[in-house]
């Protein structure tokens, strides 16, 4: 609550402004060095009083709250399925105007010079003291773990190359369609490779319900062992459940990055389970007596070689 002096030029500069037709703008410039001793929320005041009727006119006091901003760049690291588009971003806060420039680089090279169609850069729009710039990496080049760097320039912060790294990790998920016999328990396997950190797999039944570990009458879930980024989660469907499923049923495995859960999308893989029944079709014959005769049985509804065949 001290009056600022014109002589305190280490901390402030006062410009009274030019009086023209009843108006003027008085400016207080706060030096960069002074901000170190200020706090966000400090109140500055300007005061004036009529020069024409000073004796009977009240002093006018206007206060304003000064909010101090700190420049920060928050990366949105992601872990996504390999061969899919990935959009990452840098959220820049602590600014009061649009950034002067934004550049995204990979291994030191501006991504727009690598392959324009595979990288899409958006500088973003300023609002509420922040700006979010995004980089979309197309599926064709998103096949390995990569590090991207966003560079910003801001005249109000007197910086030209403030930067931060953004990580895009990728992993693979395989779940293949299968045809199975309904005479025995059958197992489906969701195979994951290249994952940074172990994460549980969720299985979804044909009715789009999550399969519970407690539903042991119908299913058994084995999450598998996570070794060097890989694991195989297995869903065993009991024989009694298979008998009540439609001939073509869709099962789904789902998982999400445990390393970067906030910004990573859920990966969903579907497979079609085709149920087949066992059938034996005889090929009867009538031939000339005393000639060779070859007869056969056609067995359908199997997914592998028969264990044994005996003719009686």
């Amino acid at each position: 609550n001290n009056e600022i002096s014109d002589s305190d030029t280490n901390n402030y500069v006062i410009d009274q402004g030019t009086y023209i037709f009843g108006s003027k703008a008085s400016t207080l410039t706060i030096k960069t060095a002074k901000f170190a001793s200020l706090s966000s929320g400090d109140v500055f005041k300007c005061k004036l009083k009529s020069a024409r009727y000073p004796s009977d006119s009240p002093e006018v006091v206007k206060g304003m709250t000064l909010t101090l901003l700190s420049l920060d760049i928050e990366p949105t690291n992601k872990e996504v399925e390999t061969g899919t588009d990935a959009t990452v971003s840098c959220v820049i806060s602590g600014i009061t105007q649009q950034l002067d420039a934004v550049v995204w680089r990979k291994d030191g090279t501006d991504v727009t010079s690598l392959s324009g169609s595979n990288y899409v850069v958006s500088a973003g729009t300023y609002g509420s003291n922040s700006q979010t710039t995004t980089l979309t990496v197309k599926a064709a080049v998103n096949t390995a773990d990569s590090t991207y760097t966003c560079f910003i320039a801001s005249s109000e912060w007197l910086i030209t190359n403030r930067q931060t790294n953004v990580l895009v990790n990728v992993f693979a998920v395989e779940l293949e369609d299968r045809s199975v016999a309904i005479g025995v328990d059958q197992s489906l396997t969701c195979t994951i490779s290249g994952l940074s950190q172990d994460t549980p797999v969720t299985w979804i039944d044909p009715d789009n319900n999550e399969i519970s570990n407690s539903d042991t009458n119908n299913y058994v879930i084995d999450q598998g062992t996570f070794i060097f980024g890989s694991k195989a989660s297995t869903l065993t469907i009991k024989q009694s459940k298979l008998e009540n499923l439609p001939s073509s049923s869709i099962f789904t495995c789902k998982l999400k990055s445990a390393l970067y859960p906030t910004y990573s999308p859920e990966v969903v893989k579907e497979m079609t389970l085709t149920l087949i029944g066992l059938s034996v079709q005889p090929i009867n014959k009538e031939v000339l007596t005393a000639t060779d005769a070859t007869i056969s049985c056609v067995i359908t509804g199997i997914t592998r070689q028969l264990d044994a065949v005996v003719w009686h």
Side-chain angles (χ1 to χ4, degrees):
N1 204 34
N2 299 316
E3 181 176 335
I4 297 173
S5 170
D6 286 306
S7 62
D8 188 8
T9 54
N10 289 329
N11 296 311
Y12 302 102
V13 175
I14 298 175
D15 180 359
Q16 288 292 344
T18 303
Y19 182 79
I20 301 176
F21 300 117
S23 299
K24 76 171 186 177
S26 176
T27 304
L28 173 68
T29 300
I30 307 170
K31 295 292 188 72
T32 303
K34 179 61 179 176
F35 282 111
S37 61
L38 295 177
S39 301
S40 188
D42 280 349
V43 176
F44 283 80
K45 298 174 185 177
C46 69
K47 302 194 298 184
L48 70 157
K49 190 174 183 180
S50 169
R52 186 174 183 182
Y53 307 117
S55 300
D56 299 312
S57 299
E59 187 173 55
V60 176
V61 179
K62 288 290 182 179
M64 61 86 68
T65 300
L66 185 68
T67 301
L68 303 181
L69 304 174
S70 59
L71 184 65
D72 182 60
I73 307 178
E74 180 185 352
T76 58
N77 299 322
K78 282 189 175 180
E79 189 167 35
V80 301
E81 184 183 3
T82 183
T84 62
D85 290 357
T87 298
V88 291
S89 61
C90 282
V91 181
I92 300 94
S93 57
I95 54 177
T96 63
Q97 62 192 38
Q98 184 84 6
L99 293 169
D100 298 297
V102 173
V103 175
W104 283 87
R105 294 177 183 168
K106 180 182 180 182
D107 299 328
T109 303
D110 188 336
V111 294
T112 57
S113 65
L114 293 174
S115 176
S117 61
N118 286 323
Y119 300 95
V120 179
V121 174
S122 171
T125 303
Y126 168 79
S128 302
N129 301 124
S130 69
Q131 183 174 332
T132 300
T133 172
T134 61
L135 167 67
T136 298
V137 183
K138 295 294 186 177
V141 292
N142 191 30
T143 56
D145 293 353
S146 302
T147 300
Y148 297 91
T149 307
C150 66
F151 291 78
I152 66 166
S154 172
S155 58
E156 70 171 324
W157 283 94
L158 302 178
I159 60 170
T160 57
N161 63 347
R162 179 74 175 268
Q163 67 186 69
T164 192
N165 289 335
V166 186
L167 305 179
V168 179
N169 292 350
V170 297
F171 62 95
V173 182
E174 295 182 9
L175 182 63
E176 298 180 349
D177 293 345
R178 286 191 60 197
S179 295
V180 299
I182 61 175
V184 294
D185 294 355
Q186 297 289 350
S187 295
L188 313 180
T189 302
C190 188
T191 305
I192 301 103
S193 59
L195 196 63
S196 299
Q197 186 174 315
D198 191 16
T199 186
V201 171
T202 300
W203 287 92
I204 306 297
D205 70 12
D207 294 324
N208 206 33
N209 297 315
E210 182 176 334
I211 298 173
S212 170
N213 283 308
S214 62
D215 187 9
T216 53
N217 289 329
N218 296 312
Y219 302 101
V220 175
I221 297 175
D222 180 359
Q223 287 292 341
T225 303
F226 184 75
I227 302 175
F228 301 117
S230 299
K231 77 171 187 175
S233 175
T234 302
L235 172 69
T236 299
I237 309 171
K238 297 292 186 70
Q239 188 270 334
S240 57
K241 179 65 178 179
L242 289 170
E243 292 180 345
N244 296 308
L245 289 176
S247 59
S248 181
S249 301
I250 294 177
F251 284 83
T252 306
C253 73
K254 301 195 300 184
L255 68 154
K256 189 175 184 180
S257 170
L259 183 62
Y260 305 122
T262 303
Y263 302 112
S264 299
E266 187 172 55
V267 176
V268 178
K269 285 291 182 181
E270 292 184 346
M271 63 87 66
T272 300
L273 184 69
T274 302
L275 305 180
I276 52 180
L278 185 65
S279 173
V280 182
Q281 178 65 39
I283 309 298
N284 302 316
K285 283 189 178 181
E286 191 169 30
V287 300
L288 180 64
T289 184
T291 61
D292 291 352
T294 301
I295 56 177
S296 61
C297 285
V298 180
I299 299 94
T300 58
I302 55 176
T303 61
R304 62 176 184 264
Q305 184 79 11
L306 292 168
D307 298 301
V309 174
V310 178
W311 285 83
H312 292 278

